[in-house]
Amino acid sequence: MNTDAPAPMERWNTLPWKHLQRNVFKLQTRIYRAACRGDVTTVRMLQRLLMHSWSAKLLAVRKVTQDNQGKKTPGVDGVKSLTPPQRLTLARTLTLDGMAAPVRRVWLPKPSTPELRPLGIPTLHDRAGQALVKSALEPEWEARFAPHSYGFRPGRSCQDAIEAIFTAIGHKAKYVLDADIEKCFDRIDQTARLTKVHTSPSLHRQLQAWLKAGVLDQGTLFPTDTGSMQGGNLSPLLACSALHGLEAHIGKTFPRSGSRRFQTPNVVVYADDLVILHEDRTVVERCQAVVSEWLREMGLALKPSKTRITHTLDVAEGTPGFDFLGFQIRQYPVGKTKSGKDCRGRLHGFKTRITPSPTAMQRHVEALRKTIDRHRHAEQEALINGSTTRCMQGCGDGLSPVIPRKRNIGLRANTGEWTMDTAGASNLQTGRSLWHATTTPHTSAM
């Protein structure tokens, strides 16, 4: 791996990007394989090599200045865009020296609630450093993450989480703990998070500097003693690593027993949202207590207003089913001609249907209405072929795991019946990582 910077006449637009990506990917694959076999020394050595690599630095700068959606969002220094020569200069001067600038506070509205979500926008230099550190830490954690953790991971999406839920309840109706972690990014304990990351001392100091950098809101600097920099490149990975171990803890607390015909509860986690599925309500209630106790060690707690226990098929009061990641998951009693069957040919007596939730469909309609209002004076053909098409295509991509039974309804799918498309799903539950090699078992000894 060549870690030397190129000659000054090297131009940004003529850099061999495919070759640089190949160099970084090879190192990430070696980090993943070393983490799978529990070789911590090799993992630390390869991570240090990657963070000093010229290829990784160039890709980190390119990610924050050209690829990311918030590439033109300035930090506290006011810098929001760089010219190609300035990008090369940033890549040459990009170092992890244990220093960090404060983040700029931005408040964004939460959908369907009057609350505001606080974001912290780091400077371009810190964003590039975080992208560089993420490229080194991500392969190691991909070898350690639980198989049913889907939030902000490469090669995984919310569609995969929905498919995992469909697989868990496809043959048996179950009770569900639908839970949400209250202010996960704002209240998580920083000491416990850094302890769980367990990285090299130099990287530990750099992560601590980013967490303790402070936030600048309306010209006033506030300390950040708790929580993390929500809005940076590294914050999703740190949040997932902080919640790592919850699924294993539940599996250890409720182990599978073949003699008692007891199955371990199914756990599906997407960032700070999680569901736990089991056919026994008592087990689900005990799981809620176990999760609350486990989160207390990280300084977190479940949000009472968004945490409830329900059933996918039948409830005494209210409506069965639950909403998760913009989908409504529910089971309906049906006759023998519509019911599914188990491996022995016995009828289930119900049908599982996953539809877009009313809240998600309302958000899509509001976004489409705002798009049309902004282009009120545009020509109809340009409006249809331009902004509205992109808006509708984005909604269709998000709803790709479900298909309408009446295919002629198009985007008016909320008036028809939707079912899970398990045959045409793009991402199957293979349990493999982006860097998984067939010669390396997908196990973790770390």
Side-chain angles (χ1 to χ4, degrees):
M1 177 68 65
N2 183 18
T3 59
D4 297 331
M9 71 280 298
E10 186 84 35
R11 294 180 179 273
W12 179 267
N13 296 330
T14 60
L15 289 172
W17 293 110
K18 290 185 178 181
H19 178 70
L20 301 178
Q21 291 172 347
R22 189 182 304 114
N23 291 340
V24 173
F25 184 79
K26 286 181 179 179
L27 268 181
Q28 289 177 327
T29 303
R30 294 174 62 187
I31 294 173
Y32 175 81
R33 292 178 179 177
C36 284
R37 63 177 182 266
D39 191 352
V40 181
T41 303
T42 303
V43 169
R44 300 290 177 263
M45 183 268 293
L46 293 174
Q47 287 176 341
R48 184 168 58 252
L49 180 63
L50 179 60
M51 288 186 293
H52 286 82
S53 168
W54 175 245
S55 299
K57 291 181 179 181
L58 285 174
L59 290 176
V61 173
R62 182 190 181 189
K63 184 176 183 64
V64 301
T65 59
Q66 290 184 284
D67 297 342
N68 283 358
Q69 187 176 3
K71 58 193 173 192
K72 294 186 178 180
T73 306
V76 294
D77 55 357
V79 178
K80 61 180 181 179
S81 62
L82 298 178
T83 62
Q86 290 174 334
R87 295 169 193 160
L88 280 174
T89 303
L90 176 59
R92 291 192 183 96
T93 59
L94 185 59
T95 56
L96 303 175
D97 53 1
M99 304 295 290
V103 298
R104 184 173 67 91
R105 175 67 77 204
V106 176
W107 297 92
L108 296 180
K110 286 187 176 181
S112 305
T113 60
E115 301 178 0
L116 296 177
R117 176 184 289 111
L119 292 183
I121 309 300
T123 62
L124 270 178
H125 184 276
D126 286 342
R127 272 182 272 174
Q130 292 179 18
L132 182 63
V133 171
K134 181 182 178 182
S135 65
L137 289 180
E138 198 169 49
E140 176 191 1
W141 278 97
E142 279 298 311
R144 303 169 61 181
F145 278 139
H148 291 102
S149 173
Y150 299 94
F152 307 107
R153 293 180 57 185
R156 299 195 173 205
S157 63
C158 61
Q159 288 87 351
D160 297 320
I162 296 299
E163 187 178 349
I165 295 175
F166 178 82
T167 304
I169 65 176
H171 296 283
K172 183 173 290 187
K174 295 182 179 181
Y175 287 95
V176 183
L177 171 63
D178 182 15
D180 180 80
I181 302 176
E182 186 174 11
K183 296 184 178 180
C184 178
F185 286 91
D186 299 334
R187 297 182 179 179
I188 193 167
D189 186 77
Q190 295 182 357
T191 303
R193 167 178 291 190
L194 291 175
T195 302
K196 183 169 286 189
V197 173
H198 187 61
T199 184
S200 61
S202 60
L203 195 52
H204 180 93
R205 290 191 296 269
Q206 184 62 62
L207 293 176
Q208 188 175 26
W210 282 327
L211 293 175
K212 300 287 186 180
V215 56
L216 190 65
D217 189 5
Q218 300 294 331
T220 305
L221 182 63
F222 297 94
T224 51
D225 298 327
T226 59
S228 64
M229 56 282 185
Q230 184 179 1
N233 295 292
L234 198 58
S235 55
L237 177 61
L238 292 180
C240 292
S241 62
L243 299 178
H244 171 67
L246 177 60
E247 183 177 347
H249 181 68
I250 292 178
K252 185 182 296 184
T253 307
F254 304 95
R256 178 183 179 275
S257 176
S259 59
R260 296 187 294 114
R261 295 184 178 181
F262 181 83
Q263 298 293 331
T264 301
N266 302 103
V267 182
V268 178
V269 182
Y270 192 95
D272 57 348
D273 297 324
L274 62 97
V275 293
I276 300 178
L277 306 143
H278 199 268
E279 57 192 66
D280 189 353
R281 183 183 177 91
T282 305
V283 174
V284 175
E285 292 174 348
R286 292 175 56 192
C287 285
Q288 182 177 0
V290 170
V291 171
S292 300
E293 182 66 25
W294 189 88
L295 291 175
R296 193 174 296 114
E297 300 177 0
M298 302 296 298
L300 300 173
L302 296 178
K303 191 171 185 177
S305 60
K306 292 187 177 182
T307 301
R308 69 188 186 105
I309 297 178
T310 183
H311 195 264
T312 58
L313 179 61
D314 186 22
V315 292
E317 296 181 358
T319 304
F322 61 100
D323 293 349
F324 188 64
L325 302 178
F327 295 90
Q328 187 179 72
I329 304 169
R330 183 178 174 182
Q331 293 173 328
Y332 296 84
V334 293
K336 63 179 182 180
T337 58
K338 300 290 186 179
S339 173
K341 299 179 181 180
D342 59 10
C343 58
R344 297 182 180 180
R346 293 174 297 190
L347 297 177
H348 294 322
F350 61 85
K351 187 178 184 63
T352 303
R353 288 179 182 167
I354 301 178
T355 66
S357 66
T359 304
M361 292 302 298
Q362 185 63 29
R363 285 201 304 265
H364 170 61
V365 171
E366 291 295 334
L368 192 60
R369 181 180 292 113
K370 292 180 180 178
T371 302
I372 296 175
D373 290 341
R374 285 197 305 266
H375 300 80
R376 185 174 299 175
H377 301 288
E379 295 183 0
Q380 184 176 10
E381 182 180 359
L383 179 62
I384 294 175
N385 296 331
S387 302
T388 55
T389 300
R390 289 193 296 269
C391 183
M392 291 185 291
Q393 185 178 3
C395 177
D397 292 341
L399 304 178
S400 59
V402 291
I403 58 174
R405 295 183 60 189
K406 299 179 181 179
R407 295 183 180 274
N408 58 346
I409 57 180
L411 286 175
R412 298 176 60 86
N414 58 330
T415 62
E417 296 179 351
W418 294 63
T419 56
M420 187 71 183
D421 181 17
T422 56
S426 57
N427 295 325
L428 299 181
Q429 298 298 318
T430 58
R432 294 174 181 266
S433 170
L434 181 64
W435 301 280
H436 180 83
T438 56
T439 58
T440 305
H442 187 66
T443 56
S444 173
M446 300 182 68

